[in-house]
Amino acid sequence: MIKITFPDKTVKEFESGITGLDIAKGISNRLAKEAVSVGVNGEIYDLTRPITKDADFAIYKFEDEQGKEAFWHSSAHLMAEAIEALYRGVKLWVGPSVNNGFYYDIDLPEGKNITEKDFPILEKKMLELAQQKNEYIRKDIPKAEALKYYTEKGDEYKVDLIGGLEDGTITFYKQGNFTDLCRGPHLPDTGYIKAVKIMSIAGAYWKGDEKNKQLTRVYGVSFPQKKLLDEYLEMLEEAKKRDHRKLGKELELFTFSSKVGQGLPLWLPKGAKLRERLENFLKKVQTEYGYEPVITPHIGQKELYVTSGHYAKYGADSFQPINTPAEGEEFLLKPMNCPHHCEIYNSKPHSYKDLPLRYAEFGTVYRYEQSGELHGLTRVRGFTQDDAHIFCRPDQLKEEFIKVIDIVLYIFKTLDFENFTTQISLRDKDDKSKYIGSDENWAKAEAAIIEASAEKGLNTVIAYGEAAFYGPKLDFMVKDAIGRSWQLGTIQVDYNLPERFELEYTGSDNEKHRPVMIHRAPFGSMERFVAVLIEHTAGKFPLWLTSEQAVILPVSERFNEYAQEVMKKLALADVRVSIDERNEKVGKKIRDNEVKRIPYMLIVGEKEVENNSLSVRKQGEGDIGIMSINEFSDFIKDRVAEELK
Amino acid sequence: MIKITFPDKTVKEFESGITGLDIAKGISNRLAKEAVSVGVNGEIYDLTRPITKDADFAIYKFEDEQGKEAFWHSSAHLMAEAIEALYRGVKLWVGPSVNNGFYYDIDLPEGKNITEKDFPILEKKMLELAQQKNEYIRKDIPKAEALKYYTEKGDEYKVDLIGGLEDGTITFYKQGNFTDLCRGPHLPDTGYIKAVKIMSIAGAYWKGDEKNKQLTRVYGVSFPQKKLLDEYLEMLEEAKKRDHRKLGKELELFTFSSKVGQGLPLWLPKGAKLRERLENFLKKVQTEYGYEPVITPHIGQKELYVTSGHYAKYGADSFQPINTPAEGEEFLLKPMNCPHHCEIYNSKPHSYKDLPLRYAEFGTVYRYEQSGELHGLTRVRGFTQDDAHIFCRPDQLKEEFIKVIDIVLYIFKTLDFENFTTQISLRDKDDKSKYIGSDENWAKAEAAIIEASAEKGLNTVIAYGEAAFYGPKLDFMVKDAIGRSWQLGTIQVDYNLPERFELEYTGSDNEKHRPVMIHRAPFGSMERFVAVLIEHTAGKFPLWLTSEQAVILPVSERFNEYAQEVMKKLALADVRVSIDERNEKVGKKIRDNEVKRIPYMLIVGEKEVENNSLSVRKQGEGDIGIMSINEFSDFIKDRVAEELK
C-alpha cells in the first residue's frame, strides 16, 4: 500500500501501482474525464503511469499549466505523426509544448515545403488520427538499442539527440504509427484532442546555431473542446486589435527610428505626457511611503560592474565597453541602477537609526537583445525601470516587504488589474550550496516574505529552487482584460550586493552590521507597463491617465469662441480638453468623437452660451445633464479622486 | 591727417602718427590717467603706439575686458623680469593674460624651485620694478636677427617659438632689463601696476604635451589700485565659502564616486528634489508657451551622428562607439538631443499649419572631458540639458525668438539674476564662405535676432564672426552676487540639421519646404545651473526652491507631539518642514537654526497648543507674529506665488 497526500492534506492509502486516472475515477467520473495529467511529488505523470511510492498528489486539468503542458506535448507528437504521414522521408528534431501551444522542428525532404495553404490538410490529418483514440504508450529502451534503431533508420537528428543523453534506458512514447524518444508526460490517448489549429511556420537553425542547417518550425495549438479553440482564436483577433504597437501608433504615443536604432523607443508628446502622469502617480505614492528620489548617470566605470559581479556574469552578452579617447578609461552602459544606488548609500556613514533608506529612481537602463527578440515596447534595448532600493536592517525586512506589497496592490487596484497571481520563489530545499548568504538570513528573509504575503492575504504559489542566488523574491503576474498573463512587479531580497559593496551601518551595539537590500519595481519598466496597459484597456485609459478627458463640440462655428473660453478655463483647472471646431453638424461630431472614446463630450450652443454652461455627454452612455464650467471641472476632479482612492 | 571715429560715431581729424594716449589727453586728463589701451579698427593697441590710418577708435580702461588684457599681459612681463632677477639662469616659455590675471611658464635652473613662501619675495620684487616706471618699448626686429640672439643666449624655448613664426620682422617689447618677443599690446610703463599678488603655481608640460618637459606655471594677478586687489581677494574668500562643491556636500545635494567614475554626479535625495522643483518650474513655463515633452534614448546608432555631422567633427574626441556582442552594430552615447528630436519630427509628415512644433526634453547627454578639466558640477562628463528644439517656418522665426527670450527673462527674474548681458553672434562680414545656408535665410535670421532682442529691450553686444557655422545665436551672461560672470542660456538658429535630416513641411503653396530649427536651453544644463545657483545664493535658495521652508521648534519635549501634528498638516499643504526635536532650550534651538538659514522657524509651546497656533520667526529678522496652521501655509503659498510671479 502507498500513501497518497491530496492538495488539501488529506491522506488516502492505495495499492502500489495504481494510476492517477484510477484515483481520479475514485473521486468522480467528471473529474476523471477532465483530468489530463497528475502531479506526483512535484513531477508531472501520465494519467496512466503507475504510482509506486508514497506521494504528494495533484490532478491537473487542461486549465492548469501542468495540464496544458501534457496536452500540448501530446499534440506535438500527434502533429509529427500527421507530418510523417503526409511528408514521407521527413526527419524530426524536437517538439516541445510552449506558452501558447506547441511546435515541432522538422527537416523536410528535398524539394518539399509547407505553406499556409497546407495548414488545413495537416489539421484534417491530425484530427483524423486523433479520432482513432490511439494510446500514448510509454516504453523504456536501453540506450544502445535506441541508438541502433535510429542509426539504421538513417535519422541523424535523433542519433545526435540520443548520443547526448546519459547511459542507461531511454523513455519512448508511441501512438499509432509514431514513435518518439521523449520524457513525457502524455495524455492517455489521442482522443482527448478535439480541436487543432496550425498557427504558423518559421525557420529555426538546428540547435539554435546559425552555422547549422535551417529546419522548419511548425507551430500549432490544440484544445479538448472545439469551443475553447474558437474562444482562443477570438482572443487572438481581439489581441491583434489591442496590439500596443498598432494602438501606440494610432494614439501617437511612441515611435521607432531606424537611424536611432532598433529597440530604442522615442516617446512622442502624448506618450511622454502619459508616462509623466504615471511617474507622478507613482512618485506621489512613494513619497507617502518614505521613498526619496536620487538621480544617477547612465554609465558607470567597468570597475563598478566588476564589483557588483554583473560584468563577470553578463559582460560578454551586453553592450560592449565604451572607451575614452585618452586616459584609457572604460565605461559600460548601466544595465541596472543598483550599483549606483549602493555607491550613494556608501557616500556617508549610517546608523541603525537612519534605516530604512529608500532610494527611488526612474532609471533608464540599457540591455542588449538580439534584433529578432525585439518586440514593440515589451522587449526593448533601453527601458526605464520604476526602480527603488530599500536598505534596511534584517529586523525591518518583513515590515518593508508589507509596505512594498501595499504599493503594488494600490497600483493594481487603481489601474484595474484586479486579476493577478503571485509566486514566492525560495531556495532549493535540497541544494543550498548555490546560494549566497547565511542560513539564518535566508530563513529570516523567506519567513518575512511568506508572512508578509499571508498578512496581505495574497494567494501565493511557492516555488522552491526559483529564488535568485542572492535572495528570495515575490513576483506578481496580472491577467489582462482578454485573459493573457503578464509578469509585472517584482520584489527581491538581496544579500549579495551589500556584501560586494561592503555596505554597513552602525548598530545599537556600536558594531558594524550589513544592511539587507530590497529591489522593487511595481511597474517593472515604463515601457513594458505602458504596453500592457494599452493592451489591457485597448487604449481607453482611466480618466486620470488619459490624454484627452473631454472634447468640446460647438453646435456651429458661431460658438467656437465660447468653446475657446471654456477650454482655457478648464485647462487652468487642469482638465485636459480639446475642441472639435470642424464645420460639421453636431450629430456627426458626436458620432465621430464617440468612436474616439474620449470620456466626455461638452456640447455648447445658444443656450449654453446664455447660461454660461455645458451640456455634458458621457462616452458610451449619452447625456448626463447641464453643468457650469466649474461644476464640470469639479466633476472631473471627483471622478479622478475616486479612481485614485 | 587721419579720421578717427569714436564709439558715439563722432569723427575727428588728427595728424597721422598720433597716439591713443594723446587723443585721450585731448578729451580729459582723468580719462588719460584711467586709459590702459585703445582699440583701433577692432585691434588692441598700446596707448603709445602711433596711429597712422583712418580708424574706428575706442579707449579702454582697466574695467574693460580689452583693458584688462593689456594690463595683465604687461604684468606677466613684469613678473618675468622679477623672476629673471631672482632666479639667474631661468628660461622662459610664454606668459599670456588669462581670465583672472596672467601666468608665465618658466623652466627653473637645476635645483631651484618656487614655493608659496617665495611669493611675497616675488611680489616685492615686482612692485620694486613697477615703481621704476620703466617704459614698455615696442621694437620690430628681423626674424633672422632674433633667432641669432636667442640661439647665442642658449634659450631653446624662444628659439623654438621664433622658428614657428612667419618670416619677416618680429615684434619685441622691452621694459627695464627684460626683453620678450610679443605681439603686445602693453601699458605705457610699469608704473601703472600698483598692486600684485602671486596666486599659485602649477606644473605645465611644454606645449601641453605630456611627453615634453614639465615647466612651472606661475599665476598672478595685478591691479591699478591697491583697493581693487583687496576687493578681489575678498571676493575670492567669499567665493571659497560659496564654492558649490563645498556647499553641495554640506547641503547633501550631490556626490561623486570613484567607482562610478569622475565627472559623473550622483544626485542625493535633497539634490534630486531640488532639481525636480527646478524642472517642474521650467516644465510649467514651457507648457504655457506651447512646448510638448518628448523622451529619447541616451544612445543612438553611429549612423545618426554621421547624418548630423557630429561624428565627423567630434567623433575622435568623444566617448568611443559601443559595439554589440553580435550583429555588428555600433552606437554612441548621445552628446546632444537634436538628432533624436529631428527623427521625431520626421516620424510623420507636417503641414505649415502644424508649425511651430516645440519639443522639450530634460535630456541627459555625455561628452568626454579630460579628467584635469573636470570641476564639480560646472565641468562634467554627463549632464542634463533643459533642452528644446523649435521647428518653425522662416516667417515665424522672430516671434519664436521673442518667446524664448521671454522665458529666459522670466527665469532670470524669478531666480534673481537681475544683472546680465547678452551677445548676438553673427556671421563674419567679410568671409561668408564658412557658413551654411542661403544669404537670404541668414539675413532673415540675423534680422530676427536683432529685432527680437531690441523689442525685448536687451542691452546687446554684437559679435561679428562668432556665429556657429550653422546659424546665428544669442547668449546670456549673468553676473552672480559676488560679481562673477557665468554663461547661462543660449538660443541658436540652425539651418544645418534641417538640411542634413531632410526635414520638410508642406507649405500653403502645396510645395515642400524646409523648416528652421531653434536650439534653446535657458538653464544650459541642470548641473551647471544648480552650481551657479548655489554660488549665487550661497546655498540660501528662494523659498519656492529651498529644501526646508520651515523648522518647528518645540519649546520642550512635551510639545513634540503637537509639532508632529503641525508637520503632518503642513506637509499635506505642500509646505516642506522639519522638526528640531532635540532636548535643548528653545533659545539654543533658535540660534542653531538661525545659522542653518531655514527661512522660517515655528515655535510651539503651551500657548500655541492651546490656541492651535504657531509663533512664527523669520530667519535673520525675528518674530513676525502668531498664525494658525492654515494661515501659515497660506502665508508660504503667497510668498511662493510672489516669487514665481
Side-chain angles (χ1 to χ4, degrees):
Chain A
M1 297 298 273
I2 55 169
K3 276 188 197 146
I4 293 298
T5 308
F6 289 86
D8 64 358
K9 303 291 170 208
T10 59
V11 180
K12 276 194 195 162
E13 295 214 332
F14 293 94
E15 291 281 343
S16 175
I18 191 163
T19 68
L21 191 59
D22 289 335
I23 299 178
K25 274 180 189 160
I27 299 170
S28 85
N29 272 332
R30 192 202 163 102
L31 182 61
K33 247 181 110 175
E34 288 180 357
V36 292
S37 66
V38 294
V40 175
N41 289 327
E43 200 183 329
I44 310 180
Y45 265 42
D46 307 322
L47 275 179
T48 51
R49 183 168 167 193
I51 303 167
T52 54
K53 55 186 173 189
D54 293 353
D56 285 333
F57 179 78
I59 295 173
Y60 300 124
K61 301 179 189 177
F62 179 76
E63 295 88 272
D64 299 309
E65 203 184 304
Q66 299 89 335
K68 280 200 179 72
E69 197 181 317
F71 197 94
W72 284 337
H73 193 174
S74 299
S75 302
H77 280 224
L78 180 67
M79 181 172 74
E81 186 182 2
I83 288 171
E84 274 197 344
L86 293 171
Y87 302 87
R88 296 286 149 142
V90 67
K91 284 175 190 166
L92 302 165
W93 171 230
V94 291
S97 76
V98 288
N99 248 341
N100 291 302
F102 54 87
Y103 71 76
Y104 219 111
D105 282 349
I106 63 174
D107 185 8
L108 284 164
E110 197 67 29
K112 292 265 179 185
N113 71 339
I114 295 185
T115 66
E116 271 192 42
K117 71 172 183 4
D118 303 316
F119 291 1
I121 302 164
L122 186 48
E123 287 160 9
K124 205 177 141 215
K125 188 74 191 170
M126 283 176 75
L127 284 178
E128 185 191 313
L129 293 169
Q131 279 153 15
Q132 293 173 5
K133 297 192 181 175
N134 296 317
E135 276 177 58
Y136 287 90
I137 301 159
R138 185 186 168 92
K139 197 174 170 189
D140 287 336
I141 291 173
K143 181 175 170 177
E145 196 178 312
L147 213 49
K148 187 163 167 263
Y149 170 75
Y150 280 110
T151 307
E152 279 169 11
K153 200 179 163 190
D155 188 334
E156 69 268 29
Y157 296 111
K158 297 293 179 187
V159 167
D160 181 276
L161 206 60
I162 296 168
L165 299 175
E166 275 176 33
D167 285 341
T169 59
I170 291 166
T171 309
F172 279 79
Y173 275 87
K174 178 175 188 296
Q175 97 271 8
N177 290 316
F178 180 74
T179 303
D180 204 352
L181 83 158
C182 169
R183 266 181 314 235
H186 282 289
L187 298 167
D189 64 63
T190 57
Y192 280 68
I193 302 165
K194 303 284 195 215
V196 300
K197 182 88 188 168
I198 304 304
M199 301 301 291
S200 61
I201 47 169
Y205 293 108
W206 184 42
K207 295 181 174 182
D209 184 340
E210 51 190 288
K211 282 188 224 99
N212 290 338
K213 185 173 183 187
Q214 201 176 41
L215 307 180
T216 303
R217 179 168 292 179
V218 186
Y219 284 97
V221 71
S222 60
F223 295 90
Q225 287 174 274
K226 173 79 168 56
K227 189 175 131 261
L228 291 176
L229 172 61
D230 293 343
E231 281 170 12
Y232 178 70
L233 295 177
E234 217 168 276
M235 187 277 283
L236 286 188
E237 263 320 292
E238 183 58 33
K240 219 188 261 175
K241 283 186 217 151
R242 288 164 179 253
D243 188 324
H244 74 277
R245 294 168 303 175
K246 180 175 153 280
L247 285 177
K249 198 179 160 74
E250 284 171 23
L251 298 171
E252 298 190 342
L253 298 178
F254 59 88
T255 190
F256 288 92
S257 141
S258 61
K259 268 193 188 147
V260 169
Q262 44 194 353
L264 296 169
L266 304 168
W267 292 78
L268 301 174
K270 281 181 188 164
K273 283 185 234 171
L274 179 80
R275 186 174 141 172
E276 195 172 285
R277 281 192 284 276
L278 277 171
E279 290 188 6
N280 286 341
F281 160 70
L282 192 52
K283 274 182 194 171
K284 188 156 174 282
V285 182
Q286 288 180 168
T287 302
E288 280 163 20
Y289 278 87
Y291 288 69
E292 297 196 289
V294 295
I295 304 169
T296 65
H298 304 91
I299 56 174
Q301 278 190 116
K302 194 174 116 180
E303 190 201 340
L304 186 71
Y305 302 102
V306 169
T307 301
S308 73
H310 291 117
Y311 187 73
K313 216 168 160 72
Y314 305 111
D317 301 323
S318 301
F319 283 112
Q320 293 304 291
I322 303 159
N323 293 300
T324 52
E327 304 182 88
E329 294 168 273
E330 264 187 298
F331 292 87
L332 285 167
L333 280 171
K334 75 171 164 185
M336 63 273 301
N337 303 299
C338 13
H340 284 86
H341 292 190
C342 286
E343 282 297 284
I344 287 186
Y345 181 92
N346 265 346
S347 70
K348 67 171 193 180
H350 298 282
S351 137
Y352 69 99
K353 290 186 235 164
D354 303 337
L355 303 185
L357 283 168
R358 308 177 189 94
Y359 295 146
E361 177 171 24
F362 287 90
T364 307
V365 297
Y366 293 88
R367 298 183 190 169
Y368 174 72
E369 300 274 355
Q370 295 203 346
S371 56
E373 303 286 322
L374 299 171
H375 181 87
L377 289 187
T378 52
R379 200 77 182 265
V380 286
R381 286 173 165 183
F383 53 96
T384 302
Q385 297 181 307
D386 56 319
D387 212 357
H389 295 97
I390 299 168
F391 300 86
C392 68
R393 305 190 305 258
D395 65 277
Q396 296 170 319
L397 195 54
K398 180 177 152 192
E399 197 188 331
E400 286 307 306
F401 226 90
I402 287 182
K403 284 185 187 165
V404 179
I405 294 175
D406 277 337
I407 293 178
V408 174
L409 295 184
Y410 171 68
I411 291 168
F412 285 0
K413 189 183 135 290
T414 308
L415 287 158
D416 216 21
F417 287 114
E418 301 289 3
N419 197 346
F420 65 89
T421 57
T422 47
Q423 174 178 309
I424 299 177
S425 300
L426 303 180
R427 274 197 300 186
D428 193 322
K429 280 185 198 169
D430 304 320
D431 178 10
K432 294 182 176 173
S433 65
K434 54 184 172 180
Y435 304 94
I436 87 139
S438 70
D439 269 355
E440 192 198 340
N441 276 338
W442 271 87
K444 259 190 216 158
E446 295 190 343
I449 296 186
I450 292 168
E451 285 169 33
S453 305
E455 277 183 36
K456 299 315 298 179
L458 297 183
N459 180 15
T460 52
V461 173
I462 292 188
Y464 290 98
E466 295 274 301
F469 75 95
Y470 51 81
K473 61 176 178 162
L474 178 66
D475 288 315
F476 292 79
M477 273 79 57
V478 301
K479 273 226 156 99
D480 72 8
I482 57 172
R484 292 169 305 171
S485 270
W486 300 88
Q487 218 243 277
L488 287 183
T490 183
I491 320 177
Q492 263 180 304
V493 178
D494 187 350
Y495 293 107
N496 180 42
L497 288 184
E499 199 70 38
R500 286 179 164 268
F501 280 92
E502 300 179 359
L503 308 186
E504 285 181 345
Y505 66 90
T506 306
S508 56
D509 56 4
N510 229 3
E511 299 286 319
K512 297 286 181 201
H513 298 270
R514 198 127 282 173
V516 190
M517 233 174 127
I518 300 176
H519 308 250
R520 41 112 283 171
F523 289 164
S525 83
M526 299 313 292
E527 287 72 14
R528 184 176 170 78
F529 192 77
V530 166
V532 174
L533 203 57
I534 292 172
E535 306 216 349
H536 181 48
T537 62
K540 197 184 169 188
F541 300 114
L543 193 62
W544 70 269
L545 196 54
T546 194
S547 300
E548 255 178 299
Q549 295 173 320
V551 56
I552 307 171
L553 312 182
V555 167
S556 84
E557 285 188 325
R558 282 197 296 138
F559 308 108
N560 284 355
E561 200 180 316
Y562 178 67
Q564 286 287 352
E565 200 184 301
V566 172
M567 182 164 79
K568 247 182 222 159
K569 283 188 184 159
L570 288 174
L572 276 178
D574 284 331
V575 180
R576 298 186 289 279
V577 53
S578 62
I579 306 178
D580 183 350
E581 285 193 333
R582 291 175 305 154
N583 187 12
E584 298 283 357
K585 291 252 164 62
V586 73
K588 179 164 170 52
K589 285 191 187 179
I590 291 174
R591 283 193 305 278
D592 290 353
N593 283 287
E594 191 70 30
V595 173
K596 282 200 208 160
R597 309 228 256 175
I598 298 166
Y600 295 95
M601 281 167 259
L602 310 175
I603 295 148
V604 298
E606 196 71 51
K607 222 170 51 193
E608 287 76 16
V609 171
E610 240 165 58
N611 304 322
N612 216 1
S613 67
L614 310 163
S615 281
V616 184
R617 280 181 76 89
K618 187 164 179 203
Q619 193 271 339
E621 297 186 14
D623 187 43
I624 58 167
I626 308 285
M627 295 187 201
S628 74
I629 299 171
N630 279 344
E631 276 167 357
F632 181 70
S633 72
D634 285 349
F635 174 82
I636 292 290
K637 237 172 250 165
D638 289 349
R639 293 289 89 68
V640 165
E642 196 133 317
E643 285 182 349
L644 295 178
K645 200 168 63 189
Chain B
M1 298 296 275
I2 54 169
K3 277 187 195 146
I4 293 297
T5 309
F6 289 86
D8 64 359
K9 304 292 171 206
T10 59
V11 181
K12 277 195 195 164
E13 293 213 334
F14 293 96
E15 292 280 343
S16 176
I18 190 164
T19 68
L21 192 58
D22 289 334
I23 298 177
K25 275 181 188 158
I27 299 169
S28 86
N29 272 332
R30 192 200 164 104
L31 181 61
K33 246 180 113 177
E34 288 179 357
V36 292
S37 65
V38 293
V40 174
N41 289 327
E43 200 182 331
I44 311 179
Y45 264 43
D46 307 323
L47 275 179
T48 50
R49 183 168 166 194
I51 303 167
T52 54
K53 55 184 172 192
D54 291 354
D56 284 332
F57 180 80
I59 295 173
Y60 299 124
K61 302 179 187 178
F62 179 76
E63 296 88 272
D64 299 310
E65 203 185 304
Q66 299 90 336
K68 281 200 178 73
E69 196 182 317
F71 197 95
W72 284 338
H73 193 173
S74 299
S75 303
H77 281 223
L78 180 69
M79 180 171 75
E81 184 182 3
I83 287 172
E84 275 197 344
L86 294 171
Y87 301 88
R88 296 286 149 143
V90 68
K91 285 175 188 165
L92 302 165
W93 172 231
V94 292
S97 76
V98 288
N99 247 341
N100 292 301
F102 54 86
Y103 70 76
Y104 218 111
D105 282 349
I106 63 173
D107 184 8
L108 285 164
E110 197 67 28
K112 291 266 180 187
N113 71 341
I114 294 186
T115 66
E116 271 192 42
K117 68 172 184 5
D118 303 316
F119 291 179
I121 301 162
L122 185 50
E123 287 159 10
K124 204 176 144 216
K125 188 74 192 170
M126 282 176 75
L127 285 179
E128 186 190 310
L129 293 169
Q131 279 153 14
Q132 293 173 5
K133 298 192 182 174
N134 296 317
E135 276 177 57
Y136 287 90
I137 300 159
R138 184 186 167 93
K139 198 172 170 190
D140 288 335
I141 290 172
K143 180 174 169 179
E145 196 177 314
L147 211 49
K148 184 161 170 268
Y149 170 75
Y150 280 113
T151 308
E152 278 167 13
K153 202 179 161 192
D155 189 334
E156 69 269 28
Y157 296 112
K158 296 292 180 189
V159 167
D160 181 275
L161 206 60
I162 295 168
L165 298 176
E166 275 175 34
D167 284 344
T169 59
I170 291 166
T171 310
F172 279 78
Y173 275 88
K174 178 175 189 298
Q175 95 271 9
N177 290 318
F178 180 74
T179 302
D180 205 353
L181 84 158
C182 170
R183 268 182 313 236
H186 284 288
L187 298 166
D189 66 63
T190 59
Y192 279 68
I193 301 165
K194 304 284 195 215
V196 299
K197 182 87 186 166
I198 305 303
M199 300 303 290
S200 62
I201 46 166
Y205 294 107
W206 184 42
K207 296 182 174 182
D209 184 339
E210 52 190 286
K211 283 186 225 99
N212 289 339
K213 186 171 183 188
Q214 200 174 43
L215 307 179
T216 302
R217 178 167 294 177
V218 187
Y219 284 97
V221 70
S222 60
F223 294 89
Q225 287 174 277
K226 173 79 167 60
K227 187 175 133 261
L228 290 177
L229 172 62
D230 292 344
E231 282 171 9
Y232 178 72
L233 294 177
E234 220 168 274
M235 187 277 284
L236 285 188
E237 263 319 295
E238 183 57 32
K240 218 188 262 175
K241 281 187 219 152
R242 289 166 179 251
D243 189 323
H244 74 276
R245 295 168 303 176
K246 178 174 156 282
L247 285 177
K249 200 179 159 77
E250 283 171 25
L251 298 170
E252 298 188 343
L253 298 180
F254 59 87
T255 188
F256 289 91
S257 142
S258 62
K259 269 194 187 144
V260 169
Q262 45 195 351
L264 296 169
L266 303 168
W267 292 78
L268 301 173
K270 280 181 188 165
K273 283 185 235 173
L274 179 80
R275 187 174 140 172
E276 194 172 286
R277 281 191 285 275
L278 276 171
E279 290 189 4
N280 286 341
F281 160 70
L282 193 51
K283 275 182 194 173
K284 190 156 173 284
V285 182
Q286 289 181 167
T287 302
E288 281 163 20
Y289 278 86
Y291 288 69
E292 297 197 288
V294 295
I295 304 170
T296 64
H298 304 91
I299 57 175
Q301 279 189 114
K302 195 175 114 180
E303 190 202 340
L304 186 71
Y305 302 103
V306 170
T307 300
S308 73
H310 292 117
Y311 187 73
K313 215 167 160 74
Y314 305 111
D317 300 325
S318 300
F319 283 112
Q320 294 302 290
I322 303 159
N323 293 300
T324 52
E327 305 181 86
E329 294 167 274
E330 262 188 299
F331 291 87
L332 286 167
L333 279 171
K334 75 171 166 186
M336 63 275 299
N337 303 299
C338 11
H340 284 84
H341 291 190
C342 286
E343 282 297 284
I344 287 186
Y345 181 91
N346 266 346
S347 70
K348 68 170 192 180
H350 298 283
S351 138
Y352 69 101
K353 289 185 236 164
D354 303 337
L355 304 184
L357 282 168
R358 308 176 190 93
Y359 295 145
E361 178 171 23
F362 287 90
T364 307
V365 298
Y366 293 88
R367 298 184 188 168
Y368 174 74
E369 300 272 355
Q370 296 202 346
S371 56
E373 303 287 322
L374 299 170
H375 181 87
L377 289 187
T378 52
R379 200 76 182 265
V380 286
R381 287 173 164 183
F383 53 96
T384 302
Q385 297 181 308
D386 55 323
D387 212 356
H389 295 97
I390 299 168
F391 300 85
C392 67
R393 304 191 304 259
D395 65 278
Q396 295 172 319
L397 196 55
K398 180 177 154 193
E399 198 188 330
E400 286 308 305
F401 226 91
I402 287 182
K403 284 185 187 165
V404 179
I405 294 174
D406 277 337
I407 293 178
V408 174
L409 295 184
Y410 171 69
I411 291 168
F412 285 0
K413 189 185 136 287
T414 308
L415 286 158
D416 216 19
F417 286 115
E418 301 288 2
N419 198 346
F420 64 89
T421 57
T422 47
Q423 175 177 310
I424 299 178
S425 300
L426 305 179
R427 276 196 298 185
D428 193 321
K429 280 186 202 170
D430 303 319
D431 177 10
K432 294 182 176 172
S433 65
K434 54 185 172 177
Y435 305 94
I436 87 138
S438 70
D439 268 356
E440 191 198 337
N441 276 337
W442 271 87
K444 259 190 217 159
E446 294 190 343
I449 298 186
I450 292 168
E451 284 169 35
S453 305
E455 276 183 37
K456 298 316 297 180
L458 297 183
N459 181 15
T460 52
V461 173
I462 291 188
Y464 290 96
E466 295 273 304
F469 75 95
Y470 51 80
K473 60 176 180 163
L474 177 67
D475 289 315
F476 291 80
M477 273 79 59
V478 301
K479 274 225 156 104
D480 73 6
I482 57 172
R484 293 169 305 170
S485 270
W486 300 87
Q487 217 242 277
L488 287 183
T490 183
I491 319 178
Q492 264 178 304
V493 178
D494 188 350
Y495 293 107
N496 180 42
L497 288 184
E499 199 69 36
R500 286 180 163 267
F501 280 91
E502 301 178 358
L503 308 186
E504 285 179 345
Y505 66 90
T506 306
S508 55
D509 56 2
N510 228 2
E511 300 284 318
K512 297 286 179 200
H513 298 271
R514 199 127 281 174
V516 191
M517 234 174 126
I518 301 176
H519 308 250
R520 40 112 284 172
F523 289 163
S525 82
M526 299 313 293
E527 287 72 14
R528 185 176 170 78
F529 192 79
V530 166
V532 174
L533 202 59
I534 292 172
E535 305 215 351
H536 181 50
T537 62
K540 197 183 170 189
F541 300 114
L543 193 61
W544 68 271
L545 196 54
T546 193
S547 300
E548 255 178 300
Q549 294 173 319
V551 56
I552 306 171
L553 311 182
V555 167
S556 85
E557 285 188 324
R558 283 198 296 136
F559 307 107
N560 283 355
E561 201 180 317
Y562 177 67
Q564 286 287 351
E565 201 184 302
V566 171
M567 181 164 77
K568 249 182 222 160
K569 284 187 184 161
L570 288 174
L572 276 179
D574 284 331
V575 180
R576 299 185 289 277
V577 52
S578 63
I579 306 178
D580 183 349
E581 285 193 331
R582 292 174 306 155
N583 187 12
E584 297 284 358
K585 290 253 166 60
V586 73
K588 177 161 170 53
K589 285 190 187 179
I590 291 174
R591 284 193 305 279
D592 289 352
N593 284 287
E594 192 71 31
V595 174
K596 284 200 207 160
R597 307 229 256 173
I598 299 168
Y600 295 96
M601 281 167 258
L602 309 175
I603 295 148
V604 297
E606 197 72 52
K607 222 170 47 194
E608 286 77 17
V609 171
E610 242 166 57
N611 305 322
N612 216 2
S613 67
L614 311 161
S615 281
V616 184
R617 279 182 76 90
K618 186 164 181 203
Q619 193 270 340
E621 297 187 14
D623 188 43
I624 58 168
I626 308 286
M627 295 187 201
S628 73
I629 299 171
N630 279 344
E631 276 168 356
F632 181 70
S633 70
D634 285 348
F635 174 83
I636 293 289
K637 238 171 252 167
D638 289 349
R639 295 288 90 67
V640 165
E642 196 133 319
E643 286 181 350
L644 295 179
K645 201 169 58 188

